[in-house]
Every structure is written in structure tokens, then in C-alpha cells.
Amino acid sequence: MDAGLDMRTTGTKSDDSILSILRLIVQGIVSIAKSHWVTLVNFWRPTVCERYPHKDKSLDYKPGPGYKGDFALITDKEKGRLRCIACQSCERACPNHCIRVVPAGKGKDRYPAEFYIDVGLCMNCEICVEVCPVDALTMTPDYECSVHDPRDLIRNIKQLTERGMEFDEVSRVR
Amino acid sequence: MDSSLIFTIGNALRTWLEGLCRAHGVPTLVVDILAWGTGAVLVVVLGLLVALFVIWLERKVAGYIQTRLGPTRVGPVGIFQTAMDALKILQKEDIIPRGADYWLHLAGPVLYFTALVLGFAVIPWDVKATLAATVDLNVGLIYVIGVTSVGVLGVVMSGWGSNNKWSLLGAMRAAAQIISYDVPLLLALICVVMVAGTLSLTRIVELQGSAGILGWYVFKPYLWLPFIIFVICGTAEVNRTPFDIPEAESELVAGFHTEYSGMKFALFFLTEFDHMWFVGLLGATLFLGGWYSPLGAADPIPGFVWLMIKSFIFVLVLQWFRWTLPRLRVDQLMGLAWKFLIPAGFVALAIVCVAVLFI
Amino acid sequence: MAAEQWFANLSFYVVALVTLASALGVVLARQVIHAACLLLPTLAGIAALFALLGGHLLMAIQILVYVGAINVLIIFAVLLLHRQVDRQRRILAGTQHLFAGVTGAGAVTLALVVGALFSNLPQLVGGEQGRFGDDVVAGIGEMFLTKYLLAFELTGILLLVTMIGAIVLARKERDQ
């Protein structure tokens, strides 16, 4: 059996007659023609590309809840203060040591004086969100985190609070 | 703009230069050499520019077939993308692997490119009188085949000169593929020669054009099988999918041009796409009537443009093949050449013999 | 006219220089692979000489056969066997220049003799012109099929025998 022409799959009869070879050739030609027709049709199909960030299509791409984008600290709207009690659980839990919390106050009035997250180091594992006992920290659907200077990637408490204003609960897929 | 305009301008220029030469006692041979030199340089520059264009076209066609856009940012439809890529690659370091043979490493891409450009010399770009760039060799077709065979040596030299097992393997496979597919290619071309009665490419084009569009060899039924064989062997000669085992990215990294970077790699890349265009030029010359316009003689578009259009039909078809078909395994590839295409070539030869004798 | 002659002479000298230099390189190269690759400009230079003499068909066939086939074959053989050949060349290393010199002298002598003998060559072979004029290929084709038909057919049979021999030699033995 010559290996050169043996492009048959295992399902066909092993038959070297002229007729079967001719049939094989015709089958091959037909399948090649069909695949070419498919690619030709695909050539004319409109593309599904969205030319971000030009956004020349009307789609406004916003990821849903649970997307692990930038960070935010949630404010408790009734009490008028951040939920965060500066327990530093997130700081201890973060595998990359991205978080730095400087607590202030005592007892029930404990609050974070400074809260830094280095988004550049973060690997988006969300462990910090999970371990927070008061659900103060959340990752948001905001994906445009690019900066020109790597030092700007260290988010401080003001930016985090600002971003957290539109959230009442931790952004999560239930 | 008509081709005869170029002819008139060229003639006027030549007369003026000859007058200058005579005025200063310089032999008019200088004008001839200048004309031929300029023509040669123009052809090479054309080859390079077309290569840039073909690479862009390839990326766009690939994109649209895959329902995406291809290059879009650089220039209106991304048309300057290749030029920018060329500029980028110019400033890359030329890395030569340790233990590599310096001269062979250098000679490989140079020979590969030279073998291609030598072929451009005999293609009829337009009516004979217009351009000084074409040599009307009366053995043009044999010359073309001979010159593409020289490309094999470039491949082997680069594979050997890389001091890399995979490069050598890729080079051997590429060489075996090219020389195997040379045979059915030659058989298909001989069919055309038998119909035309001459080896000269300019004469073949003239014979096709004189009978209007139906005189083109692609419309003669007894030349359909040679045409198909030509297209298949053409794709194989250029190492394009489905025959691109020598540069299969998933198998041999990049085959014989693995160890090349910078300008030498650019030379390989350019040559490959230019070779595809050259196959298109050959097909257009031999089968599609060369620079003749399908609309008849009274047509303002110069013949050169028609030749470009026809060769780009081939280029598009070859790109269509690439983005549709899976790759052939190397033994299937060789089997296809020796066990299928060569017998088919002989059958085509027999058919054309009968046709030429009795039609 | 003088300018054309001068230019023709210049072309000849350039081509001859390239050919001779590469031929010297073939003989004197230290590695066999370089020798095999330097055969390319040598043979191509000879093709260019044919072209300068007006023998376009010979030039095309020289490139097709010698460069495209024989040189490729030699390079493949060298790639497969270069370790053995390099070993042998080291044995002969001292004498290779002597060999080169003797061969070169012999070749030059032969060329002179042949040139002297055949300086009447155009008259000897020139009789076949006429019907085909400039069209060398048609003329040669006609001669193949009329005057030199036997030689043509025998060459074909020789090629067939060679191919069959190559296939037989390269075939793997069938398993029992």
C-alpha cells in the first residue's frame, strides 16, 4: 500500500481498484471545493471585530458584575463612612503582598488612615475580597487601568473610595 | 495613460541622451547601458514594492477569511503596515549562531533572492518596444525553470549554514520538495510550449493576444489539465500551504530560516512572497494572455497594469489556498508529486500532443 | 563600434575572472561544502560565457542541468558524506596544491590543443543553418528528430536505465 496516496481514513474499504481511486480523487476534489466555498463565503461576511478603543461600533462594551477589574472600597451610605475596619486581613491574605493598610482609631471606631493597593502586582485572585469580614473591598468591572507611570498603579484610599461610591455591595456573580 | 506614452517618453529621453553623448564625444553605448541598468533596477525595485504589497494583501485576506480585519491602524487600511515592519526589521540585530558557517549563512538568502530576481528579467511586462527591462530570450521558459532551480541551492546553503538540525532538516525537505515539483511543472509548461510552438515568453503572449480574449490559453480545453498542474506545482514551488512543510511553524519552528534575524530574514520573507507573485506572473504570461487587455485593443489601461491584475488573481488564489487547506504531511507531499502529478503531467502531454496534431 | 567591442571584452573578462576565481576556490577550499558551493559561480560563469557567445539555449540548459541539477546533487552528496571526505582530504592535504597545479596545467594544455584543432569549427558545423535561421531551438529539435535520431533515442534509453538503476539501488529491502 503506497503511503503517498494513502490519505484515506480508517472507515473506507481498502481497495486498490481504479474505480475506488477515481472515487477517492473525486471525493477529494469535492471536499476541497466545498472548503474553498466556505472560506470564500466567510470572506464577505462582516467581521465581528470591535476596534477598541476607537469603538466605531455602537457596542459599548461593559463587562458584567464579577469582572475582576480595578479595586474599590465600599462606603456604607447610612453611616457615611467606609465599611473597612482596617483589620488587615486582606493585607495578610494577599499572596503578592500588594495591599498596605495603616489603621487608625480604636475599637469600634477603627478605620484605615491609608490604604494602598498596587494594582501592578495584583494577580486578580480576589482572595482579599473573599477574606474581608465586612465586605468592604471589591473588584469592579472597570478594566481601563492603564497609566503612563508605574507608580500611578498604586491606588490610594481616595481613588478607591471614589470608585466605590457607585457600589453598595461587593460586585460578584451570585 | 497608454503604453505608447511610455514608449514616446522613453524614445525622446534616449534621443536627448544620445545627443548629449555625441556632443561630448562619449560613445552612445553609455545610453544603452544606462537604459538597461535603469530597467534592471526598476524591475528589482518593483519586485520589492510588490512584495510589500503582497504581504499586506496576505494579512488582509487572511483576516477577512477569518472574519477579522487584519492590519488597520497604519495608514488608511493598514497599507503601510509592511513598510513599517520592514523599517522595524532593518534595525534588528543580525544574529549568527555560534558554529554557523558565516559565508554559507550569508550566501543562502542572497542566492535565494537572486535566483528569484533573475527570473524577472524575461517576463514580458508590456509591448516589447515599450520597456527596456525585458530580455526577449528565445529560450525564455527554460531559463525561468533553470533559474528557479538555483533557488534550491540557496535553501540548502541556508539550512546548512545555520548549524541547526531542524534547519538542515527543513532545508533538505524544502529542496526535495522544490526539485520534485519541478518535474510536473516542467511537464505542464512543455504542454504550453507545444501549443505555442516557441519557448520565448514574449512570443507566447503575442500568440495569445492576437485572437482576443478567447485566444488565451486558459480557455483552451486541452490546456486545462496543464493549467491545474501548473497551479498546484506553483504553490508547491513557493512552499505555500498546503505544501509548507519546510517552514511549518508547528513542526520545525521555522524550517530553514529559523536562525535568521534582521535583514536576512526579511530577505527570505520578501523572496517567498515575491516568488508567489512570480508564479502569478508566469501563470498570467502563459495562460492568461500576459499584458493583453480582455477588452480588446482600444483600451486606455496600459498592458503593464493588466499584467499586474492578472498576476494578482493568481496571488489571491494562492492565498485562498493557504487559508483554507490543511498542510500535507511530507510523505503525502512527495507522493502527490511523484505518484500523481507526474503521471497526470504525462497524460496532459499526451492530450496536448493529440490536440496539437489534429486541431 | 569600438565601444561595443570594449564593453564585450570587459564583460568577458569580468565573467572569466569570476569563473576562474570560483574554480580556484573549488580546488583550494578547506572545507568540502565550500568547494561544492563555489561550484555554483563556476558553472554559472560558464553559462554566462555561453550567453556572451550568443548561445542562449546552451546557457539556459547549462543553468538548468549543471547548476540546477548536478550542483544540487553534488551538494546533497557532500552534505551526506562530508565527514568522510574531510578526513580523506586531511590525508592528502600536503599534496592538494600539487594536484591542483598538475590538473590546471593539463587542462590548459588540453584547451590549447583543442582550440588549435578546432579553430575551423564554424566551417565544420555551420552547414545546418537555413530553414530556422535564428531559432536555435527549432533547428536543434529538427536535428534531433532527423539527423541525430539514433543518438537521441539512445540517450533516452540511457536515462531510463539510469533512473531504473537509481530506483533499484535506493529501494528498501522488502521484509520477509
Side-chain angles (χ1 to χ4, degrees):
Chain A
M1 185 107 83
D2 47 279
L5 281 176
D6 193 1
M7 305 185 209
R8 294 170 257 191
T9 59
T10 48
T12 51
K13 292 191 291 199
S14 62
D15 180 9
D16 278 330
S17 69
I18 298 275
L19 202 60
S20 82
I21 290 181
L22 273 176
R23 195 175 54 191
L24 212 63
I25 292 176
V26 170
Q27 270 176 356
I29 293 177
V30 166
S31 91
I32 289 178
K34 273 202 277 196
S35 40
H36 280 290
W37 177 250
V38 168
T39 32
L40 190 65
V41 166
N42 263 308
F43 186 86
W44 300 110
R45 255 207 230 145
T47 60
V48 295
C49 293
E50 187 191 326
R51 303 180 52 188
Y52 178 85
H54 294 301
K55 293 196 168 101
D56 54 357
K57 300 215 172 175
S58 56
L59 285 176
D60 196 11
Y61 183 65
K62 198 138 181 62
Y67 186 83
K68 297 193 215 170
D70 215 333
F71 288 91
L73 278 174
I74 302 180
T75 311
D76 194 337
K77 301 281 177 3
E78 288 135 31
K79 296 203 193 127
R81 46 160 280 186
L82 287 176
R83 274 197 200 163
C84 177
I85 54 171
C87 64
Q88 296 176 300
S89 304
C90 51
E91 187 174 344
R92 285 189 294 264
C94 178
N96 286 345
H97 310 293
C98 310
I99 308 185
R100 184 165 157 247
V101 185
V102 175
K106 278 195 184 338
K108 280 246 170 65
D109 300 322
R110 217 170 132 96
Y111 68 95
E114 287 161 32
F115 196 110
Y116 296 111
I117 296 186
D118 189 347
V119 178
L121 276 179
C122 174
M123 61 173 182
N124 292 40
C125 61
E126 252 194 350
I127 290 181
C128 51
V129 176
E130 285 176 25
V131 302
C132 181
V134 293
D135 282 344
L137 188 61
T138 180
M139 292 186 86
T140 64
D142 184 12
Y143 54 90
E144 284 165 325
C145 312
S146 308
V147 295
H148 288 288
D149 190 334
R151 287 170 293 194
D152 293 336
L153 280 175
I154 302 178
R155 309 286 186 219
N156 57 29
I157 194 167
K158 212 154 67 166
Q159 296 166 325
L160 292 169
T161 315
E162 214 175 294
R163 200 173 289 120
M165 278 303 173
E166 57 191 78
F167 291 95
D168 288 327
E169 275 308 323
V170 170
S171 169
R172 183 178 285 154
V173 177
R174 296 257 167 235
Chain B
M1 187 182 78
D2 198 0
S3 331
S4 56
L5 186 65
I6 306 178
F7 182 45
T8 339
I9 295 179
N11 255 3
L13 199 63
R14 172 180 279 260
T15 330
W16 173 67
L17 280 172
E18 278 177 2
L20 260 186
C21 283
R22 269 189 223 107
H24 292 269
V26 175
T28 47
L29 182 66
V30 172
V31 180
D32 277 324
I33 297 180
L34 211 64
W36 285 102
T38 318
V41 165
L42 273 179
V43 166
V44 175
V45 166
L46 176 72
L48 293 175
L49 289 176
V50 167
L52 291 184
F53 180 70
V54 169
I55 294 175
W56 169 81
L57 189 67
E58 164 101 28
R59 291 170 74 168
K60 285 304 253 190
V61 165
Y64 278 99
I65 285 183
Q66 296 167 353
T67 343
R68 60 182 175 89
L69 285 172
T72 47
R73 294 202 189 270
V74 191
V77 266
I79 197 150
F80 297 127
Q81 176 75 43
T82 325
M84 293 300 127
D85 283 340
L87 283 178
K88 175 197 76 171
I89 223 172
L90 267 176
Q91 42 97 20
K92 290 216 168 171
E93 180 190 351
D94 184 21
I95 302 173
I96 303 181
R98 191 192 329 194
D101 196 330
Y102 176 76
W103 291 108
L104 286 181
H105 191 86
L106 176 63
V110 170
L111 196 62
Y112 196 43
F113 180 68
T114 311
L116 171 74
V117 167
L118 282 177
F120 284 147
V122 283
I123 303 277
W125 299 100
D126 204 325
V127 174
K128 196 156 64 169
T130 315
L131 299 170
T134 305
V135 178
D136 180 20
L137 267 188
N138 64 346
V139 287
L141 215 48
I142 301 187
Y143 172 80
V144 163
I145 299 296
V147 145
T148 48
S149 308
V150 174
V152 177
L153 285 172
V155 167
V156 170
M157 278 189 208
S158 55
W160 175 262
S162 299
N163 196 23
N164 183 345
K165 280 190 279 284
W166 316 121
S167 293
L168 188 59
L169 208 55
M172 298 291 244
R173 281 185 181 174
Q177 175 181 324
I178 294 178
I179 57 183
S180 308
Y181 280 91
D182 262 340
V183 183
L185 182 68
L186 205 58
L187 287 173
L189 293 181
I190 286 180
C191 294
V192 174
V193 169
M194 282 205 297
V195 173
T198 171
L199 285 167
S200 153
L201 285 170
T202 35
R203 189 82 194 107
I204 291 180
V205 169
E206 283 168 17
L207 281 170
Q208 286 181 69
S210 47
I213 188 175
L214 284 178
W216 293 0
Y217 286 162
V218 76
F219 294 119
K220 294 190 194 292
Y222 47 88
L223 279 178
W224 284 343
L225 187 54
F227 181 62
I228 294 172
I229 295 176
F230 172 80
V231 173
I232 298 178
C233 294
T235 42
E237 289 281 323
V238 196
N239 293 343
R240 303 263 312 164
T241 320
F243 305 107
D244 69 348
I245 269 281
E247 42 178 69
E249 287 108 29
S250 46
E251 299 186 23
L252 291 171
V253 185
F256 59 90
H257 49 76
T258 312
E259 298 285 352
Y260 284 90
S261 60
M263 207 53 211
K264 291 183 195 160
F265 178 75
L267 215 52
F268 270 123
F269 206 55
L270 238 60
T271 309
E272 189 191 315
F273 286 91
D274 245 349
H275 203 29
M276 179 167 59
W277 178 56
F278 180 69
V279 165
L281 274 178
L282 211 58
T285 312
L286 294 170
F287 291 99
L288 288 180
W291 43 263
Y292 274 102
S293 144
L295 304 174
D299 176 31
I301 303 178
F304 175 70
V305 173
W306 279 117
L307 182 63
M308 288 290 131
I309 293 176
K310 290 175 198 175
S311 59
F312 272 95
I313 293 177
F314 274 92
V315 167
L316 286 171
V317 167
L318 254 58
Q319 288 175 353
W320 192 18
F321 284 168
R322 178 177 188 177
W323 299 107
T324 310
L325 296 171
R327 183 178 296 145
L328 283 183
R329 215 173 53 215
V330 67
D331 62 323
Q332 291 171 337
L333 201 155
M334 304 296 278
L336 184 70
W338 291 97
K339 295 179 190 172
F340 186 74
L341 284 178
I342 292 183
F346 282 122
V347 165
L349 202 63
I351 294 177
V352 170
C353 281
V354 166
V356 166
L357 278 178
F358 298 116
I359 296 182
Chain C
M1 275 310 118
E4 268 90 1
Q5 190 60 41
W6 173 85
F7 188 64
N9 285 343
L10 179 70
S11 325
F12 169 74
Y13 284 129
V14 167
V15 171
L17 191 68
V18 167
T19 313
L20 286 176
S22 351
L24 267 177
V26 171
V27 172
L28 300 175
R30 230 166 285 179
Q31 294 184 23
V32 195
I33 185 76
H34 288 171
C37 288
L38 276 170
L39 203 54
L40 170 69
T42 315
L43 298 169
I46 296 180
L49 285 173
F50 285 144
L52 281 174
L53 287 171
H56 295 138
L57 178 63
L58 273 179
M59 169 196 74
I61 291 186
Q62 169 87 4
I63 293 181
L64 181 62
V65 171
Y66 264 101
V67 175
I70 292 184
N71 200 12
V72 173
L73 175 68
I74 289 177
I75 286 185
F76 269 104
V78 164
L79 286 180
L80 289 173
L81 298 171
H82 74 105
R83 291 199 198 280
Q84 284 111 307
V85 181
D86 270 333
R87 217 179 298 137
Q88 283 176 350
R89 275 172 80 101
R90 260 181 259 126
I91 294 172
L92 291 173
T95 53
Q96 74 179 22
H97 296 102
L98 185 62
F99 281 166
V102 168
T103 314
V108 167
T109 317
L110 187 64
L112 285 173
V113 167
V114 168
L117 274 181
F118 285 95
S119 54
N120 291 328
L121 201 56
Q123 280 90 330
L124 285 178
V125 190
E128 292 303 325
Q129 270 188 11
R131 278 210 298 135
F132 294 105
D134 260 348
D135 196 351
V136 182
V137 183
I140 291 183
E142 208 217 5
M143 278 206 280
F144 271 154
L145 291 175
T146 53
K147 192 166 168 200
Y148 298 108
L149 179 61
L150 183 62
F152 181 58
E153 295 296 335
L154 283 178
T155 315
I157 294 180
L158 180 64
L159 285 171
L160 181 64
V161 168
T162 316
M163 271 201 284
I164 295 178
I167 293 174
V168 166
L169 283 175
R171 202 167 84 139
K172 285 204 202 126
E173 288 306 317
R174 278 192 191 277
D175 297 337
Q176 262 74 2

